[in-house]
Amino acid sequence: MTRVGVVGLGAMGGPMAGHALSAGLTVCVHNRTREREEPFAARGATRAASPAEAAIGADIVLTCVSDVPDLREVVLGEGGIIETIQAGAVLVDCSTVSPTIEREIDAALRRRGASLLDCPVSGGPEGAQRGTLTVFVGGEESDVAKARPLLEAIGGTIAHMGPVGAGQAAKAVNQIFLAGAYAGLGEALVFAQKAGLPMERLIEALQGGAADSWVIRNRSSNIVRGAFEPGFRLWMHLKDIRIALTEAETLGVPMPVTALFAELEQRCVEAGYGNDDVSAYARVPRGEV
Amino acid sequence: MTRVGVVGLGAMGGPMAGHALSAGLTVCVHNRTREREEPFAARGATRAASPAEAAIGADIVLTCVSDVPDLREVVLGEGGIIETIQAGAVLVDCSTVSPTIEREIDAALRRRGASLLDCPVSGGPEGAQRGTLTVFVGGEESDVAKARPLLEAIGGTIAHMGPVGAGQAAKAVNQIFLAGAYAGLGEALVFAQKAGLPMERLIEALQGGAADSWVIRNRSSNIVRGAFEPGFRLWMHLKDIRIALTEAETLGVPMPVTALFAELEQRCVEAGYGNDDVSAYARVPRGEV
C-alpha cells in the first residue's frame, strides 16, 4: 500500500490530498493552520503535528507551498521533512519555485538516500479540484515510476521534462507564454470595448481564427464584466514570472515583453489588484492603474 | 445574377476571386500586374483594364490591397472605382486599413449612391484558399444582405461588428491579441530550447492547459525548426499593429505591450526578417536581432 505524506493543504494541496484519499492511498496530512487537516481526517487521513511527522514511513511526500521560504522551512527547517524522510522515498514538490532551489533540495535529500521530483502544475484551483492538472515533472525516471500512483491521482497529464529542475523550467515556459497571452487579451478587449464593438459576437468570431486560445475562451468574460475573481491570482503569476526572468538571465534569453508585463503586474499589485485574477491586467489598458 | 468586380488578385484577393467564380457569380477581374488576371479569365472571368472598368455594372466590387495608398488609388484615384460604381452597389473592402480611411471612402461612395462595407479578414492565405476566413464586417445591415453571396463564398465566419469602420476595429482587436500571443510564444519557446527541454513533449503538454492556443498549435514548429516561411508576414502584422496603435491613441487606450511588440517587430524588419512569418519574433529572445 502506497503511503503518502501531504504537507500544505491550501487551494492546490488540499484537493490533491483529497484525490490521494479517493485513489485509496494511505494519507497522512499536515498543515501549518492545523484545523485545515480536519476534513481530511474525517475522510480517513491521519494527522501529523509537523512536516517531519508527516514524512515518517511515507513512500511519497507531497509538498505544495507558495514560495521558497515556505518550501525551505517545511523541507530543511526544524521539524522539516529532511529529518525523517526514509531512504528510497520520493519528495514530490508541486510548488512553483526556481530550478535552482529544487536542485539544492534534491542534493540534501540524496544525503539521506531519498530524492526529489519537481512537479509544478498548471490548471489552477479548478484543475486541482477536478484532478485534471498538467504536472510538469523533473527528476529520475525511476522516481517518476515510484510517484506515479500519486501523480495520476492529482493530474490529468503527467509530462516528464527531464532531470530535477526541468519541471520548473517547463512551468516557467507556461507562465512566460501566459504573460503574452494575458497582455494581448487585456489590451485587445479593452480596445474593443472602447471602440464600441459587440463583445459577445466579437469574442465568438475571434475564437474562429488565429486568436483562438484558452485565455479567450475562459477569461474574456472577466474583462467584459470588469470582475476579476480568481482564477489564478495576479501576484502569484508575477512571482512565477520573476522566477522565469531570473532563469532567463542565467540562460541568456532576452525576454523584453515578459519583463514589461512583470513591471505592469507589479503596478497592478501596488494598486491593490494582486489577489485578482491575472486577467485584471486589463486595468492597465483601461487606465485604472 | 450577382455581378462582382474584383480589384487586386494577390495572395488574398486571388483565392477570393476564385471562390466567387466557384460560387457561380459573374466575375470581372483587374490587377495592376495584368498577367495575374489570366488564370481567372481561363475560368470564365472577364478582364478589366482598370479598377473603374471592373466596377462597371457590378452589384458588388471587391478590393483587397495591402495599404492605404493602394486603396486610395484603386477607389478614389484616376481610373478608380468611384468613377463608375453604380448607385446601389456595395464596395466590399477586404484590405486591413484604418477605420478612418474606410469612413472617408464610404462618404465618397455615398455621393454616388453607393456605399462601403469594411471587411478585413483573418486566417491568412491558407484561410483565403480554403474559403474559411473570418470576415469582420462594418457597415449597414442592408449592405451586408446585398454582399452576402460574395461574403459567404470567401469566408467561413461572417461577423457583422457594427457601422462602417467596425470591421477594421475588430480586425485590430485580433492583431492586438496576436501581438501578445506571438510575444509569449517566442519568448517561451526560446527559453524552453535554451533550458534543454524536450520540445515536442513540452508543446503537447502546454496544449493541455491554459496556454492552449492556435499559435501554439500552428506556429510552435516554426520556432523549433528555426524556419519562418509565412504564414502571415511580420511586416504586414506590424503595419496592422501601427493602425491599431493610432486608433488606440484616439480611443484613449494605453497598450504598452502592443507598443513594445511593434518596436521589436520593427527591429526584426530592419534586420531583414519582415517577409518571414510573425513567429520570427523568436529571433529577438534568441538574441539574433
Side-chain angles (χ1 to χ4, degrees):
Chain A
M1 177 56 73
T2 305
R3 296 167 59 98
V4 182
V6 180
V7 176
L9 297 168
M12 301 300 291
M16 289 176 182
H19 290 303
L21 284 164
S22 301
L25 308 181
T26 302
V27 177
C28 175
V29 296
H30 170 74
N31 194 73
R32 192 159 44 184
T33 310
R34 301 280 321 268
E35 304 91 77
R36 287 228 189 134
E37 299 164 4
E38 286 162 13
F40 300 95
R43 293 183 55 192
T46 55
R47 297 175 63 176
S50 67
E53 193 180 317
I56 294 171
D59 306 297
I60 309 168
V61 183
L62 174 68
T63 48
C64 197
V65 297
S66 52
D67 214 337
V68 170
D70 289 343
L71 182 62
R72 270 191 206 285
E73 194 193 327
V74 301
V75 182
L76 306 176
E78 205 184 310
I81 292 160
I82 196 85
E83 295 179 359
T84 57
I85 193 166
Q86 63 188 9
V90 183
L91 175 62
V92 169
D93 179 33
C94 292
S95 316
T96 295
V97 291
S98 69
T100 313
I101 174 75
E102 298 287 31
R103 285 185 210 109
E104 186 189 321
I105 287 175
D106 182 55
L109 291 168
R110 282 178 185 276
R111 289 192 285 273
R112 293 192 53 96
S115 52
L116 177 86
L117 292 176
D118 55 311
C119 297
V121 298
S122 163
E126 304 110 297
Q129 277 153 30
R130 292 189 201 128
T132 56
L133 294 168
T134 295
V135 188
F136 298 106
V137 184
E140 288 186 16
E141 193 66 67
S142 56
D143 289 335
V144 179
K146 283 183 197 168
R148 199 163 280 280
L150 175 66
L151 295 175
E152 293 193 339
I154 64 175
T157 303
I158 314 302
H160 188 197
M161 290 289 123
V164 171
Q168 296 295 349
K171 173 71 183 281
V173 171
N174 189 71
Q175 303 303 65
I176 296 163
F177 178 81
L178 287 179
Y182 279 106
L185 186 77
E187 298 188 5
L189 294 193
V190 173
F191 177 100
Q193 288 180 310
K194 295 277 177 79
L197 296 176
M199 297 302 289
E200 214 167 310
R201 206 182 304 171
L202 170 66
I203 289 160
E204 199 191 313
L206 292 172
Q207 286 178 33
D212 179 49
S213 53
W214 186 96
V215 296
I216 285 223
R217 293 193 297 274
N218 294 279
R219 293 296 182 256
S220 293
S221 67
N222 288 3
I223 297 172
V224 172
R225 294 176 303 132
F228 302 100
E229 64 273 15
F232 183 56
R233 292 180 199 277
L234 191 144
W235 77 264
M236 296 194 81
H237 182 259
L238 174 56
K239 182 208 75 163
D240 293 359
I241 282 300
R242 285 187 172 141
I243 294 168
L245 286 166
T246 303
E247 197 62 17
E249 211 168 301
T250 310
L251 295 170
V253 180
M255 305 204 302
V257 170
T258 306
L260 174 61
F261 190 73
E263 277 176 44
L264 296 164
E265 277 186 319
Q266 177 57 35
R267 272 167 45 188
C268 290
V269 169
E270 283 162 12
Y273 304 123
N275 276 315
D276 286 349
D277 184 72
V278 187
S279 52
Y281 168 74
R283 295 186 188 276
V284 171
R286 277 191 179 145
E288 291 173 12
V289 174
Chain B
M1 177 54 75
T2 304
R3 296 165 60 98
V4 182
V6 180
V7 175
L9 298 168
M12 302 299 290
M16 289 177 183
H19 290 303
L21 284 164
S22 301
L25 308 181
T26 303
V27 178
C28 176
V29 295
H30 170 75
N31 195 74
R32 194 159 43 185
T33 310
R34 301 280 323 268
E35 305 90 77
R36 288 228 189 132
E37 300 164 4
E38 286 163 12
F40 301 95
R43 293 182 55 193
T46 55
R47 298 176 62 176
S50 67
E53 194 180 317
I56 293 171
D59 305 297
I60 308 168
V61 183
L62 175 68
T63 48
C64 198
V65 297
S66 53
D67 214 338
V68 170
D70 289 342
L71 182 63
R72 269 190 208 286
E73 194 192 327
V74 301
V75 182
L76 306 175
E78 206 184 310
I81 291 159
I82 196 86
E83 294 179 0
T84 57
I85 193 167
Q86 63 188 9
V90 182
L91 175 60
V92 169
D93 179 33
C94 292
S95 315
T96 295
V97 291
S98 67
T100 313
I101 174 75
E102 298 287 32
R103 286 186 210 110
E104 185 190 322
I105 287 174
D106 182 56
L109 290 168
R110 282 178 186 276
R111 289 191 286 273
R112 293 193 52 97
S115 53
L116 177 86
L117 292 177
D118 56 309
C119 297
V121 298
S122 163
E126 304 110 298
Q129 277 153 32
R130 291 186 203 133
T132 56
L133 294 168
T134 295
V135 188
F136 298 107
V137 184
E140 288 186 14
E141 194 65 68
S142 57
D143 289 335
V144 178
K146 282 185 198 169
R148 197 161 281 278
L150 175 66
L151 295 175
E152 293 192 338
I154 64 174
T157 303
I158 314 301
H160 188 198
M161 290 289 125
V164 170
Q168 297 296 347
K171 173 72 184 280
V173 171
N174 189 71
Q175 304 302 67
I176 296 163
F177 178 81
L178 287 179
Y182 279 106
L185 185 78
E187 297 188 6
L189 294 192
V190 173
F191 177 100
Q193 287 180 311
K194 295 277 176 76
L197 297 176
M199 297 302 289
E200 215 167 311
R201 206 181 305 169
L202 170 67
I203 289 160
E204 199 189 313
L206 292 172
Q207 287 178 34
D212 179 49
S213 52
W214 186 96
V215 296
I216 286 223
R217 293 193 297 274
N218 293 280
R219 294 294 182 258
S220 294
S221 66
N222 288 2
I223 297 171
V224 173
R225 295 176 300 131
F228 301 100
E229 64 275 14
F232 183 56
R233 293 179 198 277
L234 191 146
W235 77 264
M236 296 193 82
H237 182 259
L238 174 56
K239 182 209 74 162
D240 293 359
I241 282 300
R242 284 184 171 145
I243 294 168
L245 286 166
T246 303
E247 197 63 15
E249 211 169 300
T250 310
L251 294 170
V253 181
M255 305 204 303
V257 170
T258 307
L260 174 61
F261 190 73
E263 275 175 44
L264 297 163
E265 277 187 318
Q266 176 58 33
R267 271 165 49 187
C268 290
V269 168
E270 284 161 11
Y273 305 123
N275 276 315
D276 286 349
D277 184 72
V278 187
S279 52
Y281 167 74
R283 295 185 188 276
V284 171
R286 277 192 180 141
E288 291 173 9
V289 174

